[in-house]
Amino acid sequence: MRDDFTEQLGERLRELRRTRALSLESLATASGVSRSMISDVERGARSPTVLVLARLATALGTTVSRLLGEDQPARTILLRHAEQHAIDHPDGWQRRILSPVLPGVEFELIRTTVAAGAVIGSFAAHAAGSREYVAVETGELTVTLDGVDHRLGRGDALYYAGDCVHAFANPGPTECVYYTAMQVAGSPHHLSPEEAT
């Protein structure tokens, strides 16, 4: 990610955290991301991985899209390939966000490319009422939901309630390309009376 982009990401993260009245410590507890990492990201000193972004977004009750981009209120939005946010992970996969950030809408359409044998890892459960849809374009994909594996091949689709721990891996010998449509419902982490003081 570019330095100016990393700075903008940090500003958006700080703004969302403050809007939700969360301290650095509270967000660290809710997301499982260290306080120092969150502070570094907010200052634009460090670029987070996709998994860290996903954990922070989940704890804030929002999407990675909202962390990466500002609201676009237009009725029609064309996102050219070069304008889409793409994040490459060193373990051999790329997450490309195909949907714009719309005011009041917590929805993402994502294209993920996974190298043969690569393991993406697990994502935290979203708020109750969240939904995810996965469709495999090419290759093979294993989606693990709360410890239960679901093996998908080319053309297969899967729906699941997003309030479970979900993990992804490509067990096959060729690259896998799949799409995820995700609607995040509910609210972000709520502070207990002890955390609010």
Side-chain angles (χ1 to χ4, degrees):
M1 285 189 241
R2 302 185 316 272
D3 287 345
D4 59 338
F5 182 78
T6 303
E7 289 175 18
Q8 292 169 5
L9 169 62
E11 290 169 9
R12 279 191 289 276
L13 175 60
R14 184 183 310 109
E15 180 183 337
L16 282 169
R17 178 178 61 79
R18 289 179 175 167
T19 298
R20 287 154 171 77
L22 291 171
S23 67
L24 282 170
E25 194 62 44
S26 298
L27 182 56
T29 299
S31 66
V33 176
S34 73
R35 184 184 186 282
S36 62
M37 169 62 107
I38 296 169
S39 177
D40 285 350
V41 173
E42 286 190 357
R43 289 184 291 108
R46 200 162 176 191
S47 293
T49 65
V50 178
L51 292 174
V52 167
L53 278 175
R55 288 182 184 130
L56 292 170
T58 297
L60 290 166
T62 191
T63 60
V64 171
S65 299
R66 190 160 306 282
L67 286 177
L68 293 176
E70 298 179 25
D71 284 353
Q72 300 179 39
R75 286 176 54 88
T76 303
I77 300 167
L78 173 62
L79 287 176
R80 297 283 185 199
H81 189 266
E83 299 167 336
Q84 298 163 5
H85 291 292
I87 306 169
D88 294 306
H89 195 277
D91 289 344
W93 53 280
Q94 180 191 73
R95 181 177 182 154
R96 177 174 290 276
I97 300 174
L98 307 177
S99 52
V101 181
L102 303 173
V105 177
E106 298 299 341
F107 173 85
E108 277 185 323
L109 177 60
I110 305 159
R111 181 182 192 265
T112 305
T113 305
V114 190
V119 175
I120 291 178
S122 61
F123 294 84
H126 301 290
S130 298
R131 299 172 177 89
E132 294 199 21
Y133 305 82
V134 174
V136 176
E137 181 178 296
T138 60
E140 298 176 48
L141 180 69
T142 298
V143 181
T144 306
L145 306 172
D146 282 340
V148 178
D149 289 347
H150 302 271
R151 188 94 174 241
L152 285 72
R154 180 177 177 225
D156 290 343
L158 175 70
Y159 160 80
Y160 55 93
D163 59 350
C164 64
V165 175
H166 40 289
F168 304 88
N170 176 0
T174 61
E175 180 180 84
C176 173
V177 176
Y178 72 95
Y179 294 85
T180 306
M182 177 175 65
Q183 179 187 13
V184 177
S187 56
H189 169 72
H190 292 287
L191 297 176
S192 68
E194 295 78 26
E195 290 175 305
T197 56

